[in-house]
Amino acid sequence: MAAAEETLAAGKEWLLARLERGAHPLDGLDPEAARATIDALTGLDPLSWTAGWGALADDFAARAQAATDRAEQRELWFQAYRAAFMGRYPVPNHPLKQREYDRAREFFLNATTLEDPPLEVVELPFEDSELRFYLTRPATSDRRPPVAMVWAGIDTWKEEMHVRLGALMRSRGFAVLLVDMPGVGESPVLAGPDAERQWTPIFDWLAERDDLDGTRCTAIGGSFGGYWAMKLAYTHRDRLACAVNWGGGVHITFTPEWQQRSRNASSYLMDLMAARARIFGGETFEDYVSRCPELSLLDQGLLDQPSAPLLLVNGRDDVQNSIDDIYLSLDHGDPKAARVFDGGHMGEGPVAPTIADWVARQLDARPADEPR
């Protein structure tokens, strides 16, 4: 078997295993349609990859346009978005993948405008650019709900977190802000030692709202994004009630030694280092390793500073980001809550509900099972 055929066969096996478990990046996508697309893939190169997933997105989009039932139309647009997301996965580092990313955002907005209440797009001026994020509200009568700012990592962006965590937080009575972390999606800044400044105008915007309770605000970052949530707990501690680092690095993860160890992590299908490097505007392992040490919260002198209440969460067998970063963090600064789950990156089991319940308790928000 030729090398390309071996790579394709291994890729299909990886995708089908993820599909069977309902795991990222195939969670939420129609299993039968996804399986047929995987079986028909002719390669993992951008041309073959986007042809397969783009065709599936086309099919769902055509069906959504023809649908007359609102709920059915919303689900079909959501499926079109999930297929287009797969087309740009993990990152749009090729023109064809960029096209799928553009279409994914379009289909996502088509779906979420049909929700009740509908998702809102917020645009704020930021330096010489613009900061764009989404606001979703809980279906409650609370005039000023608490706020959860949610984002994820190098390949899971604000659109993906709408279902992955946003819906769960809304069920707890939170309004949710879906944001892209620095260096990904529509973020106006690349990653760097001061890129947390992109959140300052969001905090300012919240302070001026009379329909959102900005004094009860949490930051929840998943995967790489957990790093930024944790950093905000220090740099913006007076504006956060609490924060959650769900699987993100702190210090050890950013060392060259760990990066060498994790550069071919089996939990990632392809282009891991390209996706990591892209947050700095780079493309290669060398690009990333030359920059990532500057993110260390230990070397920045933050870990021993006061912070907002912090919850640290990960899977004990993570091969992408070091679990030892949790133990290192517990040796510094204010006391922190921590929960280590079985499994690899970000953990397995009731991880998201555990996070949502901890945050709700910190903010004294309504638990999911409390009568509305």
Side-chain angles (χ1 to χ4, degrees):
M1 184 181 290
E5 292 176 336
E6 291 179 355
T7 299
L8 176 59
K12 287 184 175 184
E13 183 180 357
W14 188 94
L15 289 165
L16 289 170
R18 292 289 178 123
L19 180 65
E20 184 69 24
R21 290 162 40 209
H24 174 71
L26 290 147
D27 49 315
L29 187 55
D30 179 88
E32 184 177 342
R35 186 171 292 106
T37 302
I38 294 168
D39 289 342
L41 282 174
T42 59
L44 304 183
D45 60 282
L47 180 61
S48 303
W49 183 263
T50 57
W53 296 110
L56 182 59
D58 288 340
D59 178 66
F60 280 122
R63 291 166 58 189
Q65 290 172 334
T68 56
D69 178 78
R70 183 184 180 94
E72 179 187 11
Q73 187 178 53
R74 179 200 172 277
E75 176 59 21
L76 287 167
W77 278 125
F78 180 77
Q79 290 298 323
Y81 144 67
R82 288 301 303 176
F85 158 74
M86 285 300 300
R88 71 90 169 155
Y89 177 83
V91 293
N93 56 349
H94 184 279
L96 291 174
K97 289 194 170 188
Q98 179 64 46
R99 176 178 180 270
E100 292 307 312
Y101 172 50
D102 293 340
R103 296 205 310 155
R105 296 199 314 277
E106 174 189 346
F107 298 155
F108 174 82
L109 291 175
N110 288 348
T112 52
T113 56
L114 297 173
E115 293 182 344
D116 184 23
L119 176 143
E120 304 169 37
V121 179
V122 182
E123 296 176 342
L124 301 177
F126 178 81
E127 297 177 358
D128 295 328
S129 185
E130 182 178 78
L131 180 62
R132 194 169 191 261
F133 58 95
Y134 304 139
L135 164 64
T136 62
R137 301 174 186 272
T140 69
S141 58
D142 190 344
R143 191 180 70 83
R144 297 191 73 222
V147 178
M149 298 191 300
V150 173
W151 55 87
I154 58 176
D155 62 62
T156 302
W157 301 345
K158 62 184 183 298
E159 291 81 15
E160 290 71 65
M161 292 303 285
H162 176 57
V163 170
R164 191 162 297 171
L165 189 61
L168 187 62
M169 297 308 298
R170 292 197 307 278
S171 76
R172 266 83 170 156
F174 285 80
V176 177
L177 304 185
L178 299 162
V179 186
D180 285 320
M181 77 167 200
V184 307
E186 296 182 291
S187 170
V189 298
L190 293 174
D194 66 347
E196 71 278 0
R197 70 187 189 278
Q198 80 159 28
W199 277 277
T200 299
I202 299 179
F203 285 118
D204 293 342
W205 174 82
L206 275 174
E208 297 173 356
R209 305 282 299 202
D210 59 9
D211 59 337
L212 302 171
D213 190 352
T215 66
R216 291 190 296 157
C217 179
T218 184
I220 307 174
S223 192
F224 199 115
Y227 164 83
W228 294 107
M230 187 167 177
K231 186 169 188 182
L232 288 174
Y234 294 96
T235 62
H236 293 69
R237 62 183 178 274
D238 58 332
R239 310 187 81 165
L240 280 175
C242 62
V244 180
N245 179 348
W246 180 10
V250 177
H251 169 73
I252 298 169
T253 295
F254 302 126
T255 63
E257 294 79 12
W258 177 266
Q259 289 305 313
Q260 180 63 44
R261 177 180 170 185
S262 70
R263 64 184 298 179
N264 296 311
S266 60
S267 55
Y268 219 80
L269 174 60
M270 57 186 176
D271 292 343
L272 172 57
M273 293 316 304
R276 286 178 175 172
R278 195 170 181 271
I279 69 170
F280 292 114
E283 298 178 355
T284 66
F285 174 78
E286 291 74 20
D287 292 337
Y288 182 70
V289 171
S290 70
R291 293 289 310 277
C292 68
E294 67 193 48
L295 298 181
S296 166
L297 297 181
L298 180 64
D299 292 345
Q300 290 176 15
L302 290 176
L303 285 188
D304 289 307
Q305 299 300 314
S307 71
L310 271 164
L311 172 63
L312 311 178
V313 179
N314 204 357
R316 70 180 78 255
D317 299 319
D318 191 354
V319 294
Q320 291 188 41
N321 295 331
S322 176
I323 187 67
D324 289 335
D325 268 332
I326 287 184
Y327 310 132
L328 171 73
S329 299
L330 296 178
D331 286 340
H332 293 269
D334 293 339
K336 303 167 185 68
R339 177 69 161 90
V340 177
F341 286 86
D342 290 338
H345 186 51
M346 300 179 71
E348 297 177 357
V351 187
T354 298
I355 291 170
D357 289 342
W358 181 85
V359 170
R361 290 193 297 270
Q362 295 297 309
L363 275 67
D364 195 27
R366 183 184 58 250
D369 57 353
E370 181 178 314
R372 291 187 171 94

